[in-house]
């Protein structure tokens, strides 16, 4: 075991242009924690021109684990971070990140690597084969046109030709070579992903996808089809007994400790969520389908499933939801079309979030007589079967094969809308739900502003539910059911004030018409950006289980945050870190990312939502969540839950809020650029130098 | 190695051949189900081993494949998380059809343990106090006969390629990196961490079939209302 206190100690650097491998000592970057933090720091050092397109060979892509990957830390161990210049956002493909689960990060650690850095472009089509310390680039010519399952099974057969059934296989001839019963973990693109790059995801096993950013297209632009890894080593734990104790302590906060009598909670939770519980279901099979829960390595929430017909395996959430609403509308209930649609995106390696927004828009265009056979936008897709599996598969097929409307959609949704002359018009009316930077609307910036602001000041749909479960879903579900929430709005504000170290402001969950533009909401967004940059994206705490804010199993309904995260980090690393220190590393990473975006052209003037956010209340059928939208508000000196559905954002007040936020972050409010003082305080003097050289260093706060 | 202090006489009419076959498949295991025995002398005067004082039951249909059990096993025994050193092995086919998408390999503490019989040095032995089949790694010479002798695939006895000795499930009798007492009277790491409640310890020799122990830890529990049995799932966008 070469690893020490959670870290393997080395990162694999692959120069795809020359085919040469180097080792980067992890120690050089360990102060960034792991995952995204280390990935961004390496990107900053190695990507000489950060203004290039994502498909440029100069783009540097990192695939990073964390010290907790491959350990017993619950709902952390299996996550993996990918970052580099993306090709999904429009018109600028921001430096971005995506995250996937499964067992890839675990196997990478077991093989002895903390991460992989990909530079350059291979002169021929290749896949990267990692077997413990042995690394090779293999010919991918025959794999290039295969779907994600075919690719992975071909690679398994290539790496483990002598493996039979589930038997042990030795990864070498020596008796100390190491043995395993596991298949290699493979991260792959779909077929010919360079042809639908902005829509292309990276896939691992049946349902683990890094969807955002178009990293499938970035991989393909480097002539890289896949990365396979299998390892037989281990991860050293600083205090094994403390890790076991922490894991068993956390059982009290989850289904793991309550198998016989899981809590009946009206609403959604994170760590406490019961696997498969119908109310919290993110798996959708038609009635009568038997299934099991299924999870990433080390998970306690186990949010996916596998079914008795093998269709829809390991899919969850948007993998199903991009089509279930259309299935239900056409058929009255969930049919086999929904899991088949899920498989269609998984096998093709297509970003489910992108097609979800696209299909909502396409439905509107078809209903308005704009799209269809012989219409303004001609399409031979079988719209008479909209809602069926046939339509879903034909739709995904047209993107992957660049036929029919897929000939434009393969370039990205904004690009297709522009080609059809509808981009400005449809993002103004809101029938094309692209909320910021051409990225699909997820939760609504008009109502749940921490989601919108975070995405706008950042670079992608944040997809972080730390507030969302408790400020939106739980009060909304209770409202729909005519019930009173178990946790009152006032109590909710108290819990969040305790958890959101170091701000600790009870007004941070005030989503009233005034609260959404307040200083407290600036703190909310800052806390969220800093927390997730470190704890989720750099250490790997899964968004579906952490942060643990409200927890019906916890004392007085309080979850494990901030104690839980730190307890697991310190058991594995022995660093004795405090939560505040973790938040500060998160702030540092956030500022580094901000600097990269600024080099790419970011300025407060481009930080605007799509027009519909300022002009139109949510309309049923145009976005993913319409109404009601019940949230905590503080009005007339009282806390309550209230529907804020239909709200629009005030343009001027948004700008005022941005000023408050920039001042809180120590950024120049005129530009939104970090100042030298802020960067130097974060030990980022080198970043300040690079910004100054580019003439993009913030003046003063 | 036989614990002569605890053997009893049972099993009239069962040949040694039948007994060994039963360990790996259907038949004799069923006959043995429910018996509380400490050891056997078979009709052909072959001495059998003391029975283990406990067994791990695993409901494979309840397993979520998270492999937390594998991590806990290696963590408590070796101080590191390492699937290759885990004495319980979960193997999966991501595209497989439930319930055949997951296989779980855990030592059954066989009534007649082939691994123990195959060992030429007594390293693989039956613990005198608990009946647990386990390894004294100081006596192991690395011949791997125990690994080959295990009638199951993958072998429940595994080769520790780091420390160069055989090892197998000891029901956590020897977990130097965990401050809990293990073994039949203590706690088992895999059972403690399983988030689905899919692993359960029993003192009764379980009934088994070709597929393994016949275990259902779901029916009649809260599991029935969690929606995995083909009941309608809620639709809608929850994420």
């Amino acid at each position: 075991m070469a690893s020490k206190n959670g870290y393997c100690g080395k990162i694999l650097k692959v120069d795809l242009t020359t085919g040469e491998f180097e080792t980067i000592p992890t120690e050089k970057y360990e102060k960034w924690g792991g995952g995204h933090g280390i990935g961004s720091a390496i990107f900053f050092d190695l990507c000489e021109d950060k203004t290039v397109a994502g498909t440029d060979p100069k783009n540097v892509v990192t695939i990073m684990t964390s010290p907790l990957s491959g350990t017993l830390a619950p709902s952390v161990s299996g996550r993996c971070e990918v970052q580099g210049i993306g090709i999904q956002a429009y018109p600028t493909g921001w430096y971005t990140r995506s995250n996937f689960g499964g067992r890839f990060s675990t196997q990478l650690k077991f093989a002895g690597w903390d991460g992989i850095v990909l530079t350059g472009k291979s002169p021929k089509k290749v896949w990267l084969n990692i077997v413990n310390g042995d690394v090779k680039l293999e010919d991918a010519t025959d794999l290039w046109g295969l779907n994600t399952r075919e690719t992975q099974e071909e690679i398994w057969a290539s790496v483990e030709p002598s493996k039979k059934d589930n038997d042990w296989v030795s990864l070498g001839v020596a008796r100390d070579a190491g043995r395993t019963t596991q298949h290699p973990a493979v991260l792959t693109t779909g077929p010919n992903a360079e042809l639908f790059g902005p829509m292309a995801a990276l896939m691992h096993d049946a349902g683990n996808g890094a969807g955002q950013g178009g990293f499938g297209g970035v991989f393909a632009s480097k002539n890289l089809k896949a990365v396979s890894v299998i390892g037989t080593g281990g991860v050293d734990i600083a205090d094994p007994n403390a890790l076991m104790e922490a894991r068993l302590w956390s059982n009290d906060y989850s289904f793991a400790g309550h198998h016989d009598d899981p809590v009946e909670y009206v609403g959604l939770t994170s760590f406490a969520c019961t696997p498969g519980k119908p109310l919290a279901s993110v798996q959708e099979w038609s009635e009568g389908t038997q299934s099991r829960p299924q999870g990433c390595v080390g998970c306690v929430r186990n949010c996916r499933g596998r079914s008795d017909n093998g269709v829809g395996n390991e899919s969850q959430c948007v993998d199903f939801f991009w089509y279930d609403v259309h299935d239900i509308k056409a058929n009255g209930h969930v049919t086999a079309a929904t899991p088949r649609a899920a498989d269609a995106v998984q096998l093709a390696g297509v970003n489910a979030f992108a097609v979800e927004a696209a299909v909502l828009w396409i439905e509107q265009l078809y209903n308005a007589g704009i799209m269809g056979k012989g219409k303004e936008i001609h399409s031979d897709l079988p719209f008479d079967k909209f809602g069926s599996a046939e339509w879903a598969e034909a739709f995904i097929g047209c993107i992957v094969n660049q036929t029919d409307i897929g000939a434009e959609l393969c370039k990205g949704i904004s690009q297709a809308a522009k080609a059809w002359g509808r981009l400005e018009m449809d993002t103004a009316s809101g029938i094309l739900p692209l909320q910021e930077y051409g990225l699909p609307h997820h939760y609504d910036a008009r109502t749940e502003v921490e989601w919108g602001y975070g995405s706008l000041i950042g670079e992608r749909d944040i997809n972080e539910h730390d507030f969302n479960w408790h400020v939106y879903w739980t009060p909304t579900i209770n409202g729909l059911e005519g019930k009173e929430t178990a946790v009152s709005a006032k109590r909710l504000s108290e819990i969040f004030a305790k958890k959101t170290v170091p701000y600790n402001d009870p007004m941070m969950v005030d989503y009233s018409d005034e609260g959404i533009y307040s200083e407290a909401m600036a703190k909310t967004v800052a806390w969220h950006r800093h927390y997730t940059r470190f704890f989720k994206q750099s250490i790997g705490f899964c968004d579906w289980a952490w942060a643990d804010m409200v927890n019906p199993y916890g004392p007085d309904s309080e979850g494990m945050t901030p104690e839980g995260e730190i307890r697991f980090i310190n058991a594995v690393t022995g660093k004795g870190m405090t939560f505040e220190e973790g938040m500060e590393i998160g702030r540092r990473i956030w500022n580094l990312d901000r600097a990269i975006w600024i080099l790419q052209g970011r300025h407060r003037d481009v930080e605007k939502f799509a027009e519909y956010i300022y002009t139109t209340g949510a309309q049923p059928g145009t976005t993913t969540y319409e109404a009601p939208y019940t949230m905590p508000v503080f009005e007339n000196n009282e806390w309550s839950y209230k529907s804020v559905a239909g709200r629009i954002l005030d343009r001027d007040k948004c700008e005022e809020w941005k000023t408050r936020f920039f001042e809180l972050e120590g950024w120049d409010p005129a530009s939104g650029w970090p100042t030298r003082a802020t960067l130097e305080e974060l030990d980022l003097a080198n970043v300040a130098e690079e910004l100054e050289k580019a003439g993009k260093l913030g003046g003063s706060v | 190695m036989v614990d002569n202090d605890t053997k009893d006489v049972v099993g009239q009419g069962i040949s040694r051949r039948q007994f060994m076959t039963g360990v790996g498949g259907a038949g004799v295991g069923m006959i043995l189900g429910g018996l509380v025995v400490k050891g056997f002398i078979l009709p052909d005067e072959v001495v059998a081993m003391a029975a283990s004082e406990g067994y791990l039951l695993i409901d494979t249909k309840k397993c979520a494949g998270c492999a937390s059990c594998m991590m806990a096993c290696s963590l408590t025994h070796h101080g590191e998380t390492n699937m290759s050193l885990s004495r319980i092995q979960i193997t999966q086919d991501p595209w497989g059809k439930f319930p055949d998408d997951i296989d779980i390999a855990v030592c059954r503490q066989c009534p007649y343990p082939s691994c123990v019989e195959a060992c030429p040095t007594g390293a693989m032995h039956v613990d005198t106090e608990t009946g647990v089949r386990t390894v004294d790694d100081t006596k192991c010479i690395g011949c791997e006969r125990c690994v080959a002798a295990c009638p199951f695939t993958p072998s429940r006895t595994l080769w520790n390629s780091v420390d160069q000795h055989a090892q197998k499930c000891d029901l956590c009798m020897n977990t130097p990196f965990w401050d809990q007492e293990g073994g039949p009277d203590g706690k088992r790491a895999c059972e403690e961490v399983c988030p689905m409640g899919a692993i359960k310890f029993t003192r009764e020799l379980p009934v088994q079939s070709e597929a393994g122990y016949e275990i259902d830890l779901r029916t009649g529990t809260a599991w029935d209302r969690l929606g995995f049995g083909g009941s309608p799932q809620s639709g809608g966008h929850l994420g």
Side-chain angles (χ1 to χ4, degrees), chain A residues 210-429:
Chain A
Q212 293 209 42
F215 282 108
V218 174
F219 256 47
S221 76
K222 292 182 173 298
N223 269 335
L224 180 64
K225 175 68 176 179
V227 178
S228 169
V229 60
I230 182 82
T232 56
V235 180
D236 174 60
I237 306 298
D239 190 339
N241 188 61
L243 181 56
M244 271 299 282
E245 282 188 354
R247 172 80 183 215
L248 300 182
W249 165 74
S250 75
N251 278 355
D252 289 344
Y253 290 83
S254 78
F255 177 73
H258 303 272
H259 306 127
D260 297 330
D261 191 21
V263 68
E264 295 291 331
Y265 181 74
V266 181
L268 298 186
T269 57
S270 47
F271 203 81
C273 187
T274 302
K277 183 182 176 186
L279 184 61
S281 174
V282 286
Q283 307 154 23
E284 288 196 291
W285 284 283
S286 52
E287 188 168 355
T289 305
Q290 307 273 323
S291 65
R292 74 160 80 248
Q294 191 272 330
C296 303
V297 171
C299 193
V300 298
R301 181 165 165 171
N302 297 311
C303 61
R304 304 94 59 87
R306 295 202 193 104
S307 70
D308 57 7
N309 58 21
V311 181
N313 274 13
E314 301 186 5
S315 284
Q316 59 106 276
C317 189
V318 72
D319 306 325
F320 291 119
F321 297 161
W322 80 268
Y323 204 63
D324 73 333
V325 63
H326 310 296
D327 179 13
I328 293 168
K329 207 183 287 182
N331 302 301
H333 55 91
V334 170
T335 72
T338 292
R340 277 178 63 180
D343 271 6
V345 291
Q346 308 286 30
L347 293 170
V350 166
N351 178 355
F353 260 121
V355 294
E356 181 181 48
V359 173
L360 287 166
W361 176 46
I362 285 166
E363 183 186 25
Q364 300 272 338
L365 295 178
Y366 174 74
N367 289 341
I370 296 166
M371 180 179 282
K373 208 178 284 289
K375 304 292 185 184
E376 180 185 330
I377 303 171
H378 174 77
S379 174
D380 286 323
L381 287 176
F383 279 99
D384 56 327
K385 295 180 181 170
F386 191 70
S388 69
E390 288 77 11
W391 192 92
E393 289 165 352
F395 174 67
I396 298 302
C398 84
I399 295 171
V400 172
N401 298 311
Q402 305 89 51
T403 57
D404 202 86
I405 55 175
E408 297 297 342
L409 284 168
C410 69
K411 301 168 190 167
I413 303 173
S414 295
Q415 292 86 338
K418 192 173 183 192
W420 293 330
R422 304 199 63 87
L423 181 59
E424 198 172 325
M425 176 173 33
D426 291 351
T427 53
S429 70

Side-chain angles (χ1 to χ4, degrees), chain A residues 128-142:
Chain A
L128 179 62
N129 185 5
I130 304 171
V131 179
N132 285 323
D134 295 330
V135 184
K136 290 178 191 160
L137 287 170
E138 313 269 10
D139 184 1
T141 307
D142 293 340

Side-chain angles (χ1 to χ4, degrees), chain A residues 1 70-72 77 106-107 110 148-149 152-153 156 166-168 175-183 205-206 231-237 240-241 243-245 247-248 251 255-256 259-262 264 268 274-285 287-300 302 306-310 313-314 317 321 324-325 328 334 347 353 356 442-443 463 465 469 473 544 624-625, chain B residues 59-76 78-105 141-144 147 152-162 164-165 176-180 187-199 217-218 221-223 225-239:
Chain A
M1 176 178 55
T71 74
L72 196 56
S77 181
T106 301
Q107 285 298 332
F110 291 165
T148 60
R149 176 180 179 176
Q152 292 180 76
E153 290 183 334
W156 287 359
N166 300 318
D167 209 352
W168 292 96
R175 294 191 79 200
D176 60 355
R179 301 175 192 183
T180 182
T181 62
Q182 306 297 299
H183 291 300
D205 282 349
T232 56
V235 180
D236 174 60
I237 306 298
N241 188 61
L243 181 56
M244 271 299 282
E245 282 188 354
R247 172 80 183 215
L248 300 182
N251 278 355
F255 177 73
H259 306 127
D260 297 330
D261 191 21
E264 295 291 331
L268 298 186
T274 302
K277 183 182 176 186
L279 184 61
S281 174
V282 286
Q283 307 154 23
E284 288 196 291
W285 284 283
E287 188 168 355
T289 305
Q290 307 273 323
S291 65
R292 74 160 80 248
Q294 191 272 330
C296 303
V297 171
C299 193
V300 298
N302 297 311
R306 295 202 193 104
S307 70
D308 57 7
N309 58 21
N313 274 13
E314 301 186 5
C317 189
F321 297 161
D324 73 333
V325 63
I328 293 168
V334 170
L347 293 170
F353 260 121
E356 181 181 48
H442 189 178
Y443 286 95
N463 204 15
H465 298 73
W469 304 132
W473 275 115
W544 282 72
T624 44
Y625 313 102
Chain B
D59 184 344
T60 58
K61 292 181 180 175
K62 214 175 178 188
C63 173
C66 69
S68 294
C69 53
M70 296 175 73
M71 307 286 218
C73 179
S74 57
L75 180 68
T76 53
H78 304 285
E80 62 180 287
T81 44
N82 183 330
M83 288 187 177
S84 294
L85 294 181
S86 171
R87 297 113 194 267
I88 180 171
Q89 291 288 320
I90 311 283
T91 52
Q92 307 184 56
D93 176 1
W95 299 277
K97 295 178 181 178
F98 167 78
D100 300 325
D101 57 315
I102 286 183
D103 280 321
I104 302 175
I141 58 172
C143 67
E144 294 197 50
V147 177
F152 302 106
T153 302
S155 173
R156 273 51 164 172
T157 301
L158 55 140
W159 177 245
N160 180 329
S161 62
V162 179
Q164 302 277 299
H165 60 76
F177 297 92
W178 190 25
D179 289 350
Q180 290 283 341
K187 293 181 176 178
R188 278 70 45 189
C190 59
E191 181 187 12
E192 292 294 309
V193 302
C194 177
M196 309 311 293
I199 305 176
L217 301 177
R218 291 158 285 116
T221 72
W223 193 265
R225 59 178 191 271
L226 300 186
F228 292 110
S231 60
Q233 301 266 327
S234 68
H237 295 72
L238 305 185

Side-chain angles (χ1 to χ4, degrees), chain A residues 1 24 89 196 344 406 520 602:
Chain A
M1 176 178 55
I24 300 172
F196 58 100
R602 183 66 70 87

